[in-house]
Amino acid sequence: MTLFEHDGRLLVVDCGVLFPDVDQPGVDLILPDFTPILDRLDDIEAIVITHGHEDHIGGIPFLLRHKNDIPLVGSQFSISLVEAKLKEHRIRPTSTVVAEDETLDLGPFGLEFLAVNHSIPDALAVGIRTSAGTVLHTGDFKMDQLPLDGRITDLAGFARLGSEGVDLLLSDSTNAETPGFVASEREIGPVIDDMFDGVTGRIIVASFASHVHRVQQIFDAAHNHGRKVAFVGRSMVRNMGIAQDLGLLNAPAGLMVSMDEAVTLPKDKVVFMSTGSQGEPMSALGRMASGDHRHIKVEPDDTIILASSLVPGNETAVYGVINRLAMTGATVIHKGVAKVHVSGHAPAGELLYVLNTVKPSNVLPVHGEARHLQAHARLAVQSGVDPEQVIVAENGDVIDLVDGKAVLAGHVDNKLIYVDGLSVGDVGEPVLHERRILGDGGFIAATVVIDSENGKVVGGPTISAKGFSNDPNAFDDVLPLISDAMEQAASEDVSDPYQLQQILRRTVGKWVNDTYRRRPMIVPHVLEV
């Protein structure tokens, strides 16, 4: 989520989500921190959407919960995806559909939209003209010269803006460390078609639920080999339905079948098009891998194709799914062993093309981890941009653009906002720290009952534990230590329950550390009678 401010008005470009890492247990989504603008929602002219991927639109419903009439601006497919998502949140947005080569004035912001090629249809870059300067935000893009839909990145438009003078370029950095140029999507189709040859079992393909072009290639291969296709996974069904309605996905008559019909077909006559390419445990493929899917049980003669790249941070989850699928005896094909996917992001060679074409005065690498931003910054310097005019920013950094010069001017306090179930923001780092302790070392509850008058132990001590040990006698040795510690406290006239709880916690904690070299969560209970 990027926020632009000019003449007291605000413009939001994209509003996405992050997905949790393994050290964020229980978290479903991670949102931008809206706190710095909650008292200025009336100042927002619109939310401009560059494309419909979750990391660019997933946070919109949560922002619109605060003010549901903030206008949305984006391409037809992007707006359709957002509106379907908002319908689930019971929000009816105010939307404006735009296309490449169109312009739109929103308050002090003059917007121009340019086509960019990405792994989702209808992606847009946006030029933002103001009296303070001109900004070009590329969104996510690559420069496939032979895309399936014939829609290439508008380098001519980039060059035209560059000739007018781009004061600040915000450009996709995801593949900045990767040299060269991206392979064409057209190279994937024949590979997938060849994989269908000679397969006698079912074919299960997992892909991003928004990758319309990949799904089209699966349709084409299935049609060529006399197979029917069924969608598996709610987001796949929803997104591809939208793509079909908009004419972005073309299926020959009779190719698509329902799940109920698909499971009755001969194995060599069906393809399942599934979600779960990133190892998500609750996705369709994740449930197949764990044997929990209610329709599909993976069998040894199945062929499973993961037609996607590995999103950084998801490697462990993806390979876990691959291993579980392989244990069934099925054939598992992924990007590491066959050319079943190409990235949707421009590598270094293409980023240099953009830098040399636009010739921006200032560059702000966006969209990527720290190493990607730094790599992109080095490319900008190599292309001739003054090193002092290349800014690698962190979340919350404020960049001022004045008289054609961008400077890091300050920082807005912000934090990651965690979504856990239906709750937004009530889980923070202290709770996650406790969850990590529980996940690493388990839980021990120690209880003693004391006489409220003299502080002597009259019941217990007892210990119960979860996630610590299978040995029912594991805590026999610590019970007398607890009794001794409580008696010592009574002899010293220590009767305050809080102080006794701390003595109980220290006693158990020291014994666990000395005996097991572990650090479980210890919860002491001192009951007075």
Side-chain angles (χ1 to χ4, degrees):
M1 176 178 175
T2 309
L3 191 72
F4 296 90
E5 179 175 8
H6 186 56
D7 285 349
R9 303 297 293 173
L10 303 175
L11 183 73
V12 176
V13 175
D14 290 335
C15 182
V17 294
L18 287 172
F19 295 99
D21 293 328
V22 293
D23 63 345
Q24 294 159 329
V27 174
D28 299 316
L29 297 172
I30 303 172
L31 302 177
D33 189 351
F34 304 134
T35 306
I37 61 168
L38 287 182
D39 61 346
R40 298 192 58 190
L41 297 181
D42 290 336
D43 295 336
I44 299 177
E45 295 286 350
I47 301 171
V48 176
I49 304 163
T50 62
H51 64 284
H53 279 149
E54 283 296 303
D55 55 339
H56 293 257
I57 66 171
I60 291 176
F62 298 93
L63 180 55
L64 293 193
R65 284 185 186 181
H66 297 285
K67 189 175 190 296
N68 62 16
D69 61 348
I70 299 175
L72 306 179
V73 177
S75 68
Q76 181 65 74
F77 189 48
S78 299
I79 290 293
S80 297
L81 292 177
V82 174
E83 288 181 341
K85 182 181 294 291
L86 289 171
K87 188 175 181 179
E88 297 177 359
H89 290 258
R90 300 181 181 177
I91 297 173
R92 182 174 296 176
T94 302
S95 304
T96 299
V97 173
V98 295
E100 58 262 32
D101 303 324
E102 290 187 1
T103 59
L104 180 67
D105 289 329
L106 293 173
F109 305 100
L111 307 183
E112 179 177 351
F113 300 94
L114 303 101
V116 291
N117 177 242
H118 188 39
S119 54
I120 188 172
D122 256 5
L124 295 170
V126 57
I128 306 172
R129 292 184 174 89
T130 73
S131 59
T134 297
V135 175
L136 174 59
H137 192 311
T138 68
D140 287 359
F141 79 100
K142 61 178 177 177
M143 295 201 299
D144 188 344
Q145 299 303 300
L146 295 170
L148 295 181
D149 59 1
R151 189 173 179 272
I152 64 173
T153 294
D154 187 4
L155 269 183
F158 283 14
R160 177 174 45 77
L161 280 176
S163 65
E164 297 173 11
V166 169
D167 298 288
L168 179 63
L169 173 67
L170 291 83
S171 183
D172 177 13
S173 307
T174 308
N175 271 351
E177 290 184 314
T178 305
F181 298 82
V182 75
S184 173
E185 291 282 350
R186 295 194 184 215
E187 296 181 18
I188 306 302
V191 176
I192 291 175
D193 194 80
D194 288 344
M195 289 179 181
F196 280 43
D197 283 339
V199 176
T200 57
R202 299 175 301 181
I203 296 176
I204 302 168
V205 183
S207 179
F208 294 114
S210 56
H211 204 324
V212 176
H213 297 153
R214 189 71 68 249
V215 174
Q216 184 68 63
Q217 290 171 322
I218 300 303
F219 276 11
D220 295 342
H223 180 64
N224 291 342
H225 291 82
R227 290 179 180 257
K228 306 292 186 181
V229 179
F231 289 138
V232 190
R234 187 168 60 93
S235 57
M236 182 69 74
V237 172
R238 180 190 65 198
N239 292 355
M240 293 307 127
I242 293 170
Q244 283 185 288
D245 292 342
L246 297 177
L248 299 172
L249 181 64
N250 301 303
L255 179 72
M256 293 185 59
V257 295
S258 68
M259 177 61 71
D260 290 337
E261 183 178 351
V263 295
T264 67
L265 293 173
K267 292 182 178 181
D268 62 348
K269 297 298 181 184
V270 66
V271 177
F272 293 105
M273 190 73 224
S274 171
T275 58
S277 63
Q278 294 305 303
E280 307 95 315
M282 297 308 294
S283 66
L285 189 67
R287 294 199 302 273
M288 291 179 212
S290 59
D292 295 332
H293 198 278
R294 62 192 181 104
H295 290 298
I296 302 172
K297 178 178 175 59
V298 178
E299 299 175 358
D301 59 349
D302 289 340
T303 296
I304 302 169
I305 303 172
L306 276 72
S308 63
S309 59
L310 292 179
V311 173
N314 290 351
E315 295 89 350
T316 300
V318 173
Y319 285 120
V321 167
I322 290 173
N323 285 327
R324 289 195 295 276
L325 292 170
M327 288 292 290
T328 67
T331 300
V332 184
I333 301 169
H334 54 88
K335 187 182 178 184
V337 297
K339 194 168 188 176
V340 292
H341 184 73
V342 293
S343 175
H345 301 273
E350 296 177 7
L351 296 178
L352 283 170
Y353 255 95
V354 169
L355 287 162
N356 288 327
T357 298
V358 176
K359 298 188 183 306
S361 302
N362 303 269
V363 174
L364 178 64
V366 294
H367 201 278
E369 299 179 355
R371 58 194 174 94
H372 305 128
L373 303 181
Q374 292 288 352
H376 199 170
R378 290 191 292 271
L379 293 175
V381 173
Q382 290 170 14
S383 72
V385 181
D386 185 339
E388 294 187 359
Q389 302 311 119
V390 179
I391 300 175
V392 177
E394 298 180 353
N395 288 339
D397 282 350
V398 178
I399 293 97
D400 278 354
L401 181 62
V402 180
D403 296 330
K405 185 173 182 179
V407 294
L408 185 59
H411 186 82
V412 174
D413 288 337
N414 72 106
K415 59 184 181 298
L416 299 178
I417 304 299
Y418 300 111
V419 179
D420 186 354
L422 297 177
S423 301
V424 179
D426 69 338
V427 172
E429 285 302 324
V431 171
L432 291 181
H433 177 67
E434 292 177 349
R435 289 181 179 180
R436 287 191 286 268
I437 292 174
L438 288 169
D440 290 339
F443 169 90
I444 295 175
T447 305
V448 295
V449 181
I450 63 171
D451 187 308
S452 60
E453 294 185 358
N454 57 32
K456 291 186 177 181
V457 175
V458 295
T462 62
I463 285 186
S464 60
K466 295 291 183 183
F468 184 82
S469 174
N470 290 327
D471 182 358
N473 302 314
F475 299 102
D476 289 352
D477 292 344
V478 75
L479 297 179
L481 298 180
I482 294 174
S483 298
D484 291 346
M486 291 297 106
E487 290 178 9
Q488 175 76 19
S491 69
E492 297 174 357
D493 294 327
V494 177
S495 58
D496 177 63
Y498 176 77
Q499 288 181 283
L500 293 173
Q501 284 180 357
Q502 298 311 304
I503 292 171
L504 180 54
R505 184 196 303 273
R506 287 195 298 270
T507 302
V508 175
K510 183 178 186 303
W511 177 83
V512 169
N513 183 60
D514 292 344
T515 306
Y516 290 97
R517 289 293 187 269
R518 299 185 198 171
R519 291 184 173 274
M521 178 174 287
I522 299 171
V523 179
H525 298 285
V526 175
L527 306 178
E528 293 182 288
V529 294

